[in-house]
Amino acid sequence: MSDTHLKNASRRQFLSGAAAVGAGTLAGGAVHAAGDPLIMETQDFAAGLGVGVDETPYGLPIQFEGDVVRRNVEWLTADTISSINFTPIHALDGTITPQGCAFERHHSGAIEMSKDEYRLMIHGLVDEPLIFTYEDLERFPRVTRTFFLECAANTGMEWAGAQLNGAQFTHGMIHNMEYTGVTLRTLLEESGIKPEGKWVYVEGHDASSNGRSIPLEKALDDCMIAFKANGEALRMEHGYPVRLVVPGWEGNMWVKWLRRIEVVENAVESREETSKYTDVLENGIARKWTWVMDAKSVITSPSPQSPIKHGKGPLVITGLAWSGRGAITRVDVSIDGGMSWQEARLAAPGQDMALSRFYLDIDWDGSEMLLQSRAMDSEGYVQPTKTELREVRGLNSIYHNNCIQTWHVKTNGEAENVEVS
Amino acid sequence: APAMAEKMGLGRAALPEEVASWDHDVSPDGTGLPEGSGSVLYGEEVFADACAACHGDFAEGVDNWPKLAGGMGTLDREDPLKTVGSFWPHLSTAWDYVHRSMPFGDAQSLSDDDTYAIVAYILYSNDLVDDDFVLSRENFLEVEMPNADGFILDDRDTTEAHFWKAEPCMSDCKDSVEITMRATVLDVTPDEGESTEDAAL
């Protein structure tokens, strides 16, 4: 970075106003001799009437937020039915993902089934195989907890290099919701587990079935059968009316439209845990059962889809951090490509296996930056660089890319997805 | 078995017929395989009707649709081709997945015998059996999958132990930084304007 002058923001300089918002044209809207017409003239919305309370029984975001939507990348998959789209994380803040723009991943499309049509079967190595209706499930004692769901393939297109230009595309196979439902333990206790039972095999009502094997220990620990997310019923595309919640583990295991839980002695080694969701190493050997999503973070703004438009001066750097192994304890941010780091501020203490929001307020001097964030979790895990990951895994793992992301912010405020030495 | 709490008495007993109707998973040891059989020759016919439009006449894949055959010996190369023959560890998975979830868009339409035949044809397409081969429940476990030993358990706790480091570097972490790759060179990100219009609320 020899040709670029990078400097850490100085808090003292910021407070003293020495680097004062240089560009007057950018501060507080345009200044006219006769005053700002948005203030000096009566606006229609200040004189006329807005819409009535019967206008929108269930509302969508205001039209000006029309770009805060899920996006797909056509070339990634053969069709849109077994495919993925991306959460607009570059435009969101806080930690809760609005359900309407929370990413989707289907293997045979989002199916439409009613609560009346819903059945859940528990069988196999159990004392009593059982069938539950949706109504039955609502009668069990409930729990409410917030977790992130990250697709195992999130950031997977970036293994070989910087490819997609935006946090939505590089890191948007993720959402974070407050789930309400019943613990899987509660349901398994209802049927009783035989001593030979060591795994549960779970599958969905859809044609793909998405069957996965989960060790009984995890099933009895913190898995949930969820029927509410962020306060309301699950969206169709997220598994309405019932999905599995597998905290901290790869999204593929969060089986949607859950229809069957079979207690078995050995893993089924289904398609989704052999052909897919196995991670090929450099020597051609593949890891299987890489369930946990490791500590990871990304700066959501500034980022390629969220450039700096306000010029020099105060700048909010913000992003998300999460870990499947526990809570986020700290996030460091670098503006010089990892040569030096400063600790960011967490919006709230980290919660186990949930998104954390971080902020770093700097005084941008208008020079180029190479922005990075580095998450640390309660297990002492420090988010690695892509180079460190490649040294262990090579380039063909597809899944579980939790490397440090770099955004190159140019002097004009635009940002680009880059790799650095 | 784990200590169990008192039951709520919710739900009802599942009938054996109901369990049989939904429980179709097949395990690597053959558990779950039904009676039946199918030949490569018959499999070729069924495959041509039900599968070849996407997966090709020889299971080699059409356009961007999955290739089911080929790729032997490519797993340690730059761009590995992972197929049933080159990658899948268990034949049970092929039977189970085809039977429950294929053809794409018309799943659960294949009989047990049809499924045996299609799997036999996929084996043939991967040069793993001869053209007179007949796959059945009886000889199912005799088929050797080339990559059966190609998998290890998640070993991140040991091979990536150095990621668990208490004190990361905070200053003077490296002398210089150079940009080595740029996403805009590839230019494969969807255009912002075009998609925004589609998604207009």
Side-chain angles (χ1 to χ4, degrees), chain A residues 16 27 55 65 73 78 90-92 128 147 162-163 187 232 245 259 282 293 321 378 403:
Chain A
S16 69
E55 178 77 12
E65 297 296 315
V73 176
H90 64 288
L92 302 177
E128 187 184 11
F147 298 112
Q163 181 156 244
L187 293 186
E232 61 181 354
V245 169
R259 83 163 183 178
E282 200 158 25
M293 301 307 290
S378 48
C403 70

Side-chain angles (χ1 to χ4, degrees), chain B residues 106-129:
Chain B
D106 189 24
Q108 306 195 53
S109 61
L110 296 169
S111 71
D112 294 345
D113 285 340
D114 285 353
T115 308
Y116 276 108
I118 287 172
V119 173
Y121 182 70
I122 293 171
L123 288 171
Y124 171 74
S125 301
N126 278 286
D127 298 322
L128 296 173
V129 298

Side-chain angles (χ1 to χ4, degrees), chain A residues 155-187:
Chain A
T155 323
M157 297 84 73
E158 303 291 311
W159 269 112
Q163 181 156 244
L164 286 161
N165 207 29
Q168 178 170 20
F169 302 108
T170 57
H171 290 75
M173 296 182 195
I174 194 165
H175 55 62
N176 192 68
M177 301 188 191
E178 183 194 72
Y179 293 99
T180 298
V182 178
T183 67
L184 185 51
R185 183 183 189 98
T186 299
L187 293 186

Side-chain angles (χ1 to χ4, degrees), chain B residues 26-160:
Chain B
V26 180
S27 291
D29 66 0
T31 303
L33 276 176
E35 280 298 334
S37 66
S39 66
V40 170
L41 277 178
Y42 179 58
E44 185 179 24
E45 281 178 41
V46 186
F47 197 89
D49 287 346
C51 320
C54 295
H55 295 294
D57 287 336
F58 307 100
E60 79 282 16
V62 173
D63 298 334
N64 212 6
W65 294 100
K67 299 166 172 57
L68 310 181
M72 300 293 181
T74 65
L75 297 181
D76 59 355
R77 295 192 195 158
E78 192 176 330
D79 208 0
L81 175 54
K82 300 190 285 182
T83 71
V84 177
S86 70
F87 189 61
W88 291 35
H90 311 294
L91 193 60
S92 57
T93 311
W95 201 99
D96 171 276
Y97 184 68
V98 168
H99 183 241
R100 184 176 40 247
S101 298
M102 288 287 136
F104 190 64
D106 189 24
Q108 306 195 53
S109 61
L110 296 169
S111 71
D112 294 345
D113 285 340
D114 285 353
T115 308
Y116 276 108
I118 287 172
V119 173
Y121 182 70
I122 293 171
L123 288 171
Y124 171 74
S125 301
N126 278 286
D127 298 322
L128 296 173
V129 298
D130 294 327
D131 60 5
D132 60 354
F133 180 71
V134 179
L135 182 67
S136 67
R137 184 163 86 167
E138 286 66 40
N139 69 1
F140 198 87
L141 295 181
E142 292 165 21
V143 179
E144 287 181 25
M145 299 298 279
N147 198 42
D149 298 325
F151 294 79
I152 55 171
L153 292 181
D154 182 4
D155 63 352
R156 281 176 287 178
D157 284 359
T158 52
T159 57
E160 298 176 3

